[in-house]
Amino acid sequence: MMDKVNVELTVNGEKYEVEVTAKERLLDTLRKQLKLTGTKEGCSVGECGACTVIVDDKAVNSCMVLTAQVDGSKIITVEGLESKRGLHPLQKAFIDNQAVQCGFCTPGMLMSALALLNENPDPSKEEIKTALEGNLCRCTGYQQIIDAVEAAAAEWGN
Amino acid sequence: MIDYQFIKANTAAEALKILADKNNVKIIAGGTDVLVELHKESRDLEMIDYLLDISGIEELKEIKIAEDKVEIGSLVTHSRLLKNKFFAENIPFLTAAAKDIGSTQIRNRGTVGGNVCNASPAADLFAPLLALESEVVLRSQKGKRNLKITDFIKGPYKTHIRNDELLEKVVFKIPAGEYYCNFQKIGRRKALNISRLCLAFLTVIEDGVIKKAHLVPGAATPYPTPFKKIDDYLEGKLLAEIDPAETGKMAADAMVEITGERWSTPYKRPALSKLAERALSCVKEEAGYDG
């Protein structure tokens, strides 16, 4: 019988106490236990970035982290972007720049972009590309996504 | 069936006690290798009874830079290595190697200790760490021991770490005087790139003469090995007179001497030759002998 672990997480500003198995990935806890299904499962081996979330200010693949490892951490998922004031500037910029096609990669892209802008509000195009290099998109061809992050960064500056 | 108990250690002492007291313990740090193994339901993980999480041990996260020596804690992430200004300015081939690992997400989790202990033939950090003649510091309840990183690697994905030991840090001396280093890599794509081949080169120069040379290819041999033959050939010669293309060919021959002719040799021979040539040309140019 698989060992259980009690874990406390702060997700999008809300505290949760969850019981997880020793094999449970953060991705599974977010999607199955907390019903935060905005975070997507793509490749499951850290190659596609669809499951990217922010753990203690860093973008990470939630398929590559055991929930038991991040006890006490602060996590941001795509659901944490929208507020009472409406869409987050990054979300608006993705819409305005047509950076979404099928949408499967979008939550991961948004999280990688958010982690970048939180750390570096005025990134160069190269820095944007580096921040997004772990996120695959099979539809748009990336240009619109990079444009969107640039636009959001400009908005951030204002 | 993979079934283990998860144990989190908050200090190195706690981790060492668990390693001493229990059998069939697997250590997890950033998890970028272990989680792939878990997903693949790797047979190796069926043997473990305990997964020991060391990712929260603060004392293993330090980078210490003294006048002549560097200590990198085993839990230093690739991102931190990459952002370290001292390395960028003084040991740029280490920064270059860290920069090419995985993606931002992988670099934020993956650790130096994990890269070294996993001992993948394609581990990017091995080449510069070998060129720097690094040592690993292994700690157990019985004490500490230092091993040259070349002696630490036993084979592909195998090291000489004992079951009761934890990799505490990787240490190396900062090269003295006039020195140059360079890192080259070829992969199938730019991002999330596992090396098909990489190469680190470090040389110390005195009055234009190569006093010390370390040429270390990665993913070229079953496990990273210094190419002593090339180092011996270079040492004592004038850097200005070294022919990068010729040295590159010698390096490729040295690789085939170790591996024999393999299915990948028709690709790897010219590719490694070119990588060594590029590294030497870059170093010559940097030293002002680009003519």
Side-chain angles (χ1 to χ4, degrees):
Chain A
M1 184 63 194
M2 184 56 78
D3 179 43
K4 298 269 184 177
V5 186
N6 290 314
V7 176
E8 196 181 291
L9 301 172
T10 304
V11 183
N12 303 327
E14 273 186 55
K15 276 205 169 158
Y16 296 90
E17 278 175 32
V18 288
E19 189 185 71
V20 299
T21 70
K23 276 203 284 190
E24 189 165 319
R25 303 167 303 171
L26 179 58
L27 172 65
D28 303 318
T29 307
L30 293 171
R31 285 182 59 88
K32 292 178 185 161
Q33 294 218 44
L34 307 185
K35 309 292 179 201
L36 295 169
T37 53
T39 304
K40 303 300 181 203
E41 176 157 18
C43 69
S44 320
V45 290
E47 296 261 340
C48 78
C51 67
T52 305
V53 300
I54 299 176
V55 177
D56 297 330
D57 303 323
K58 302 277 180 210
V60 306
N61 296 310
S62 60
C63 74
M64 300 253 88
V65 182
L66 293 175
T67 308
Q69 287 191 283
V70 291
D71 185 21
S73 290
K74 287 196 176 87
I75 292 152
I76 302 172
T77 69
V78 71
E79 288 89 348
L81 283 176
E82 194 178 351
S83 68
K84 280 180 193 151
R85 285 173 291 168
L87 290 180
H88 188 275
L90 262 170
Q91 291 173 305
K92 278 189 205 153
F94 267 60
I95 294 168
D96 294 345
N97 287 275
Q98 301 184 24
V100 181
Q101 201 163 317
C102 87
F104 197 82
C105 73
T106 311
M109 290 282 181
L110 286 166
M111 288 298 104
S112 286
L114 181 67
L116 168 70
L117 296 184
N118 280 339
E119 196 179 318
N120 176 7
D122 186 22
S124 66
K125 192 168 253 179
E126 276 314 301
E127 286 169 331
I128 294 171
K129 285 185 183 173
T130 301
L132 300 180
E133 73 182 5
N135 295 79
L136 299 184
C137 170
R138 298 287 80 157
C139 310
T140 68
Y142 302 104
Q143 190 56 51
Q144 295 95 316
I145 295 169
I146 294 162
D147 291 346
V149 180
E150 275 191 315
E155 169 89 22
W156 216 272
N158 298 325
Chain B
M1 167 99 182
I2 299 171
D3 191 1
Y4 56 77
Q5 192 185 334
F6 180 89
I7 309 176
K8 189 174 183 69
N10 294 310
T11 63
E14 267 178 44
L16 294 178
K17 185 168 186 334
I18 290 155
L19 290 170
D21 292 350
K22 299 190 188 301
N23 291 321
N24 305 326
V25 183
K26 169 95 180 164
I27 295 175
I28 182 169
T32 53
D33 287 313
V34 176
L35 271 278
V36 174
E37 293 302 306
L38 254 181
H39 182 71
K40 289 196 301 196
E41 299 189 358
S42 155
R43 280 247 164 121
D44 292 348
L45 291 183
E46 287 181 11
M47 313 296 167
I48 68 162
D49 294 323
Y50 302 94
L51 189 69
L52 174 60
D53 178 25
I54 60 165
S55 64
I57 302 178
E58 291 301 321
E59 63 203 273
L60 302 180
K61 295 181 182 175
E62 279 184 86
I63 298 177
K64 281 190 200 161
I65 295 161
E67 205 170 307
D68 61 342
K69 202 172 93 175
V70 168
E71 297 185 358
I72 303 174
S74 56
L75 291 181
V76 170
T77 61
H78 306 309
S79 290
R80 283 189 53 218
L81 207 59
L82 179 57
K83 284 179 186 155
N84 185 289
K85 285 208 172 94
F86 178 86
F87 295 149
E89 284 165 15
N90 297 285
I91 309 171
F93 74 161
L94 196 57
T95 308
K99 195 176 170 185
D100 274 342
I101 294 174
S103 61
T104 302
Q105 292 95 314
I106 298 286
R107 291 190 294 270
N108 282 342
R109 291 290 299 172
T111 63
V112 173
N115 202 243
V116 170
C117 288
N118 189 48
S120 157
D124 284 309
L125 293 181
F126 269 135
L129 289 176
L130 259 71
L132 286 159
E133 297 177 82
S134 305
E135 289 188 356
V136 294
V137 179
L138 301 165
R139 204 167 133 190
S140 72
Q141 281 197 327
K142 291 175 197 149
K144 285 189 192 189
R145 62 178 179 136
N146 283 39
L147 270 186
K148 283 184 186 164
I149 200 161
T150 41
D151 296 334
F152 178 64
I153 311 167
K154 194 177 185 177
Y157 301 101
K158 286 190 172 66
T159 70
H160 285 284
I161 196 163
R162 293 195 316 250
N163 288 340
D164 65 337
E165 283 178 322
L166 189 64
L167 173 65
E168 186 178 77
K169 56 196 170 189
V170 176
V171 300
F172 56 83
K173 285 198 179 115
I174 302 165
E178 185 187 353
Y179 65 92
Y180 303 95
C181 62
N182 193 268
F183 180 77
Q184 300 283 335
K185 174 170 171 174
I186 322 176
R188 285 196 174 91
R189 56 185 176 178
K190 198 156 170 273
L192 283 159
N193 187 354
I194 293 174
S195 282
R196 295 230 65 200
L197 271 177
C198 67
L199 182 136
F201 180 62
L202 172 73
T203 184
V204 180
I205 308 292
E206 214 176 283
D207 300 324
V209 176
I210 299 173
K211 293 305 275 185
K212 214 183 217 187
H214 289 305
L215 186 115
V216 188
T221 48
Y223 52 93
T225 317
F227 277 18
K228 197 150 182 323
K229 204 170 165 183
I230 307 300
D231 299 348
D232 290 345
Y233 165 77
L234 292 170
E235 284 169 12
K237 292 200 170 54
L238 285 166
L239 179 61
E241 287 174 4
I242 294 297
D243 179 349
E246 190 192 318
T247 316
K249 283 195 185 107
M250 287 173 63
D253 289 343
M255 169 183 72
V256 179
E257 269 176 38
I258 297 170
T259 60
E261 289 280 342
R262 301 180 69 228
W263 61 272
S264 58
T265 305
Y267 166 78
K268 288 200 170 177
R269 187 194 283 271
L272 182 70
S273 169
K274 203 71 193 171
L275 283 192
E277 181 185 335
R278 275 188 207 155
L280 282 156
S281 297
C282 287
V283 162
K284 278 184 81 172
E285 194 181 325
E286 207 187 324
Y289 302 118
D290 51 339

